[in-house]
Amino acid sequence: MGFSVPAFLLLFLLPLLDDLVLSSAEGTDIISFYENYNVTWGFDHVLSLNQGREIQLSMDSSSGAGFASKLSYASGFFHLKMKLPDRDSAGVVTAFYLTSNGNKHDELDFEFLGNREGKPYTLQTNVFVNGQGNREQRILLWFDPTADFHTYKILWNQHQIVFFVDDTPIRVFKNMERDIGVEYPSQPMQIEASLWNGDSWATDGGQTKTNWSNAPFKAHFQGFEIGACSVDHDQINSGADFEHCYSTGYWWNTEKYWELNHKEQREYENVRNMYMNYDYCSDRTRYPTDHLPLECLHH
């Protein structure tokens, strides 16, 4: 005997199912770090907590630390939950990013730039394609990222790249390669995270240096599930294509994720209006009006 759901009930359930899909992408923090990630440097500055469900990176004057995913991916909805170093964190950089290998690499960056105690963190994002970056945008966060965990996400499919803070989109990089010839990230990338000393540039353009009396600085990470299309290293080394990773059989490639919905668009515009304090497209010293990067003409 079959079971059917009344139409009115489906209308009620479908939005909940969408939320369930997104929640499953972020996971329930039950997967151990070691299932999907390896420590890559600063081994003695890494602490595993709660049976590997939380990782602490620390930095002092001798070293920082970092980790990376075991596999590379060619599309997906990537995330980490992070709690940033507190107190006086000037010069300290906490990073979560996707990156391919080699000089002509693709890369999608979250970089959290520490500050003097009582001053806000700056969140810098960047997009590299074939080794070319210089696409920095910076916002001031509307909450204290050191007080609790927040989820930072990157949606990457063949239509757009979207950076999210929790569920709020803060940056969109559209695929305009066919339309106007702007190159778009296409190489398989690993997920990486790190805590390192960036006092040569990170705070006030490098004028404010790290106060080592506050070391060790500590960043915490959770949420080690990965919702993405994996590519093994043999495929990458053989030069195989990754068309299967663009299939709409993966939920993040379905039409719903080809552009922001109306609610997300409003939130995105609000972030740009209220919290953005640097956009490379508006930097006339670097890019005079007659030399704007192509994508800036279609912002």
Side-chain angles (χ1 to χ4, degrees):
M1 181 175 173
F3 174 77
S4 61
V5 179
F8 77 89
L9 191 54
L10 272 176
L11 290 174
F12 172 75
L13 288 175
L14 283 174
L16 298 181
L17 290 173
D18 276 342
D19 289 342
L20 184 60
V21 168
L22 287 171
S23 296
S24 66
E26 294 175 27
T28 54
D29 300 332
I30 61 173
I31 291 182
S32 167
F33 167 86
Y34 299 99
E35 291 190 39
N36 291 325
Y37 291 90
N38 287 320
V39 177
T40 50
W41 63 283
F43 296 89
D44 59 347
H45 287 64
V46 180
L47 180 63
S48 175
L49 303 167
N50 191 20
Q51 299 179 309
R53 293 170 190 161
E54 183 174 330
I55 291 292
Q56 174 189 285
L57 302 185
S58 65
M59 185 185 83
D60 55 31
S61 58
S62 68
S63 182
F67 62 82
S69 60
K70 295 177 181 179
L71 300 177
S72 293
Y73 304 90
S75 70
F77 206 155
F78 307 87
H79 76 278
L80 278 175
K81 292 183 177 180
M82 301 168 58
K83 184 165 69 170
L84 305 185
D86 58 6
R87 299 183 299 169
D88 186 341
S89 58
V92 179
V93 177
T94 311
F96 160 43
Y97 55 104
L98 310 181
T99 185
S100 63
N101 296 314
N103 293 329
K104 298 288 187 179
H105 71 297
D106 293 346
E107 185 171 312
L108 307 174
D109 294 336
F110 276 114
E111 292 178 309
F112 300 85
L113 313 182
N115 213 335
R116 284 283 179 250
E117 190 163 5
K119 292 188 175 181
Y121 260 81
T122 292
L123 170 52
Q124 175 171 285
T125 58
N126 205 349
V127 175
F128 287 75
V129 188
N130 285 330
Q132 179 63 48
N134 298 322
R135 296 183 175 94
E136 299 93 344
Q137 290 183 357
R138 299 186 195 121
I139 66 168
L140 297 177
L141 293 169
W142 50 93
F143 54 85
D144 180 358
T146 73
D148 204 351
F149 285 92
H150 289 266
T151 306
Y152 304 93
K153 312 174 192 176
I154 301 172
L155 168 67
W156 173 33
N157 61 34
Q158 279 299 289
H159 299 270
Q160 63 175 354
I161 292 161
V162 185
F163 294 78
F164 291 86
V165 174
D166 294 320
D167 294 320
T168 302
I170 65 161
R171 179 170 190 168
V172 178
F173 189 82
K174 301 290 288 185
N175 187 349
M176 296 180 281
E177 193 155 18
R178 289 182 179 176
D179 296 336
I180 60 173
V182 176
E183 291 186 302
Y184 190 76
S186 60
Q187 302 177 64
M189 294 189 271
Q190 284 180 280
I191 308 164
E192 299 199 18
S194 58
L195 180 66
W196 52 282
N197 177 21
D199 75 355
S200 64
W201 66 275
T203 309
D204 302 326
Q207 297 179 63
T208 303
K209 301 298 183 181
T210 304
N211 182 352
W212 293 110
S213 67
N214 289 316
F217 303 96
K218 298 175 183 178
H220 293 255
F221 300 82
Q222 295 177 349
F224 301 114
E225 311 79 11
I226 299 174
C229 177
S230 62
V231 178
D232 67 42
H233 297 295
D234 289 339
Q235 284 180 291
I236 297 172
N237 294 333
S238 69
D241 68 52
F242 316 110
E243 289 294 325
H244 66 284
C245 287
Y246 310 148
S247 165
T248 53
Y250 293 110
W251 62 265
W252 55 84
N253 290 332
T254 58
E255 188 171 359
K256 175 179 177 180
Y257 298 97
W258 293 2
E259 60 185 14
L260 300 184
N261 62 38
H262 293 306
K263 177 176 179 289
E264 290 170 335
Q265 185 65 36
R266 288 195 303 271
E267 292 171 340
Y268 171 56
E269 291 170 1
N270 183 61
V271 167
R272 290 186 60 85
N273 291 332
M274 299 290 292
Y275 302 106
M276 180 172 285
N277 60 9
Y278 179 81
D279 181 2
Y280 74 107
C281 285
S282 302
D283 189 336
R284 292 296 168 265
T285 301
R286 289 173 71 183
Y287 300 112
T289 303
D290 56 348
H291 287 84
L292 279 176
L294 270 178
E295 67 267 20
C296 295
L297 300 174
H298 299 264
H299 231 359

